[in-house]
Amino acid sequence: MREVFLLSREENLSHKEIAEQLGISEQTVSKQISNALKVLRYKMGASVFVFFLFHI
């Protein structure tokens, strides 16, 4: 989940590019990013999450 999220946010790769690089489906990439965002929201709280999301 972490690797998928970082490739998406830090490397600015598309879901298709991540899927090809990791040998997984685009649907799996999408779900892992969604799961990562849920975890971040929960652990960081809503206000900190919004700040973090827009400053990466």
Side-chain angles (χ1 to χ4, degrees):
M1 181 177 10
R2 178 182 291 206
E3 185 173 5
V4 169
F5 184 79
L6 292 176
L7 287 171
S8 172
R9 296 304 193 260
E10 291 183 353
E11 303 295 328
N12 296 315
L13 297 179
S14 69
H15 289 193
K16 184 176 183 176
E17 291 169 325
I18 295 168
E20 290 173 356
Q21 184 172 332
L22 298 179
I24 58 179
S25 73
E26 288 183 58
Q27 185 176 2
T28 300
V29 171
S30 181
K31 185 65 177 171
Q32 291 302 306
I33 291 172
S34 176
N35 288 344
L37 291 171
K38 286 178 188 176
V39 169
L40 286 172
R41 275 187 217 109
Y42 176 76
K43 291 194 177 225
M44 299 174 84
S47 60
V48 175
F49 170 75
V50 171
F51 177 81
F52 173 77
L53 185 63
F54 290 107
H55 287 88
I56 290 184

